[in-house]
Every structure is written in structure tokens, then in C-alpha cells.
């Protein structure tokens, strides 16, 4: 008899780590589970590998980037089974909101989407105990991911992810799901945020500003995990905020990751214009998106591509809207 392996695939930010920890506590101790914390560039390969091996899948805070992966799931999925993918990104909802194997809710972070589904379908006292124990860290992740600003500890928890890495924070939550930080964790995260402010000051001096459209930060200034806080600083506190803030980072594989933040959904629309699923990949939602460019791109080319997409979106939104009433009036 073949033992079934549960493949838990989640994102590398605080939301993804909290979601993976929740999934591990609910599912892992009762059987075999493999946890993969990854990004948009690798999620399709991991899903395809798990499907080919016949293992169970649980995908959190991520979605497929290739149409062929979605088609493969559609062909093989048994509609009597519960969903296995839990996400919250707007771009996901707009393209795949009708899939029965996916639970998508843009009103919450990925971890809270999964927590809410588990709460509505909980069976047994043990699952309810796990949900109660993990709820505080899930709420903290939700505050951090949706920029609610209601839980001060959310920035400190994201600082731990940046300082220690997503695997270390996952291991901490797997061993101890308590959202209350130890004194060492609190002191280290607090010190980190102070040093982070110094990096922010340097980054502000090295921004490539393109009119009111874009503030582009080159590779080598900010650290992983700085992006959301720094872009929020530009978008919400700057006297003359850009429409989009973007931060480039050269990845170990040699390609580029460009994280974008905006207000009013512009980053997501830029993503939709530039992502082709082949050379340029990406994912995210309206105001927090990421593009992945091939290694042969320069930072100037990436910046100019984003600026061009913003221009297209501005022209599109400025175009006069023709209503049915206008057409009837013209016809008459």
C-alpha cells in the first residue's frame, strides 16, 4: 500500500509562512507532509511534480502562472473533493474565480482565507484547537499583508521573516505557534526595523523617478522583506507620491524580480499588460504585484517597460467612456 504524501506549497512572505504553519499543524502531524515555500516562478513546477507523483496538494497564497497547469488540474480534478488551493490575489480571482478546486477571497490574506475555510468545515476538537492556537498569527499576517495597520506586531513579524528567512520563521511557528514574541525575538526585530529605516533613507536618495508615474529602486539597496514597508512609505507618506513604486532584485538564478506597489489597482493592471507567461512572468493582486524578467534585461529596460505600461493605462482610463445612453442618443 502506497503512503500518501501531502505537498504543502506556500509563499515566502509572512502571509505564506503563516499559512504553511497553519497547514502543517492541521495536516502534518497526522501523516507525511512536504512543505515548499516558494515564489511565483516555481509554483507551477512544484504543482506539476506533485500531480505526476500522485501526492495530495495544498497550495496557499499562490496560484499557477501557466495556462497548461490550470488545464491539467481541470482535467484531473474530481469535483466531489474539497478545494486544495487557497488564495486572495485579485488577478487570480478575475481569471480563475469559478474553479471548484480553488477558494479565492480578495477580502483577506491567503492564510486567513484558508483559516476561514477550515473554520467553516472543521471536524473534531483537535482541528478547532489548532485553529484557535493559530488564529493570532493568522490575524497578524492579515494585518501585514493588507496594510491595515491595526496590529503593530505585524511589522515586527515581517522583520523576523526578513532577518531569519522564511524557513526559520516557519520552523519557529511549527514548533511554537504562539504569536507572542519572545524577548529575544522582540528585541531583534525592533533593532532590525531601526536599521531598516537607515536603508530606507539610502534608498530614497537612489530612486529613479519618472515624473509622477514611477519611483524605481535599483538592486542592491533594499533587502528582501523591505519592499512592502518602503513602497508604503513612498505611496502613503511622500509629499509627491508616485503612481507606482517598484523595487528590482537580482535573483540567485540570474533573472530579475521587480516588486510593484500602488494604490487603486494600477500595479495589477501593469502586471496584466507586461506578463506574457513566457519571457516575463508574474503574479499578485491589484496593489501588490511582482514581475519576473529574464536575466538579459537591464534595469533601465525594466523601468522603461513599466513606465510604458503605466502610460497605456493612463491613456486607457482617460479615454471617453461611451454608454448605451450615448449610443441611443446618437442613433436618434
Amino acid at each position: 500500500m502506497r503512503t500518501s504524501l501531502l505537498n504543502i506549497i506556500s509563499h515566502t512572505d509572512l502571509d505564506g509562512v503563516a499559512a504553511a504553519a497553519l497547514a502543517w499543524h492541521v495536516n502534518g502531524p497526522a501523516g507525511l507532509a512536504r512543505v515548499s515555500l516558494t515564489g511565483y516562478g516555481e509554483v507551477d513546477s512544484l504543482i506539476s511534480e506533485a500531480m505526476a507523483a500522485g501526492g495530495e496538494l495544498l497550495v496557499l497564497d499562490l496560484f499557477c502562472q501557466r495556462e497548461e497547469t490550470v488545464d491539467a488540474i481541470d482535467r484531473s480534478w474530481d469535483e466531489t473533493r474539497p478545494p486544495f488551493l487557497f488564495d486572495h490575489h485579485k488577478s487570480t480571482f478575475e481569471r480563475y474565480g469559478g474553479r471548484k478546486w480553488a477558494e479565492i477571497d480578495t477580502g483577506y490574506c491567503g492564510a486567513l482565507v484558508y483559516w476561514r475555510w477550515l473554520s467553516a468545515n472543521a471536524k473534531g476538537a483537535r482541528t478547532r484547537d489548532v485553529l484557535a492556537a493559530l488564529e493570532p498569527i493568522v490575524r497578524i499576517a492579515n494585518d501585514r499583508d493588507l496594510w491595515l495597520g491595526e496590529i503593530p506586531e505585524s511589522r515586527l513579524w515581517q522583520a523576523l521573516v526578513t532577518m531569519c528567512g522564511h524557513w526559520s520563521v516557519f520552523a519557529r511557528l511549527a514548533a511554537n505557534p504562539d504569536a507572542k514574541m519572545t524577548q529575544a525575538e522582540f528585541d531583534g526585530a525592533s533593532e532590525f526595523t531601526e536599521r531598516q529605516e537607515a536603508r530606507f533613507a539610502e534608498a530614497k536618495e537612489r530612486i529613479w523617478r519618472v515624473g509622477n508615474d514611477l519611483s524605481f529602486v535599483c538592486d542592491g539597496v533594499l533587502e528582501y522583506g523591505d519592499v512592502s514597508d518602503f513602497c508604503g512609505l513612498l505611496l502613503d507618506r511622500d509629499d509627491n507620491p508616485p503612481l507606482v513604486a517598484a523595487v528590482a532584485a537580482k535573483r540567485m538564478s540570474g533573472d530579475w524580480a521587480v516588486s510593484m506597489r500602488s494604490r487603486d489597482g494600477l500595479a495589477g493592471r501593469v502586471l496584466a499588460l507586461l506578463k506574457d507567461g513566457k519571457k516575463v512572468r508574474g503574479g499578485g493582486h491589484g496593489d501588490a504585484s511582482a514581475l519576473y524578467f529574464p536575466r538579459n534585461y537591464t534595469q533601465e529596460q525594466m523601468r522603461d517597460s513599466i513606465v510604458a505600461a503605466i502610460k497605456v493605462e493612463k491613456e486607457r482610463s482617460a479615454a471617453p467612456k461611451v454608454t448605451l445612453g450615448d449610443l441611443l442618443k446618437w442613433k436618434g
Side-chain angles (χ1 to χ4, degrees), residues 200-227:
F200 286 1
E202 179 183 358
K204 290 191 74 171
E205 295 296 323
R206 297 171 59 180
I207 288 174
W208 290 352
R209 181 74 185 239
V210 183
N212 292 324
D213 291 344
L214 178 67
S215 286
F216 188 96
V217 181
C218 292
D219 178 48
V221 182
L222 298 176
E223 295 183 8
Y224 170 80
D226 286 344
V227 173

Side-chain angles (χ1 to χ4, degrees), residues 304-326:
D304 293 346
S305 296
I306 295 171
V307 170
I310 294 172
K311 181 179 179 181
V312 169
E313 275 301 313
K314 288 171 64 177
E315 291 174 349
R316 180 184 297 173
S317 62
K321 303 294 189 300
V322 179
T323 67
L324 178 60
D326 293 330

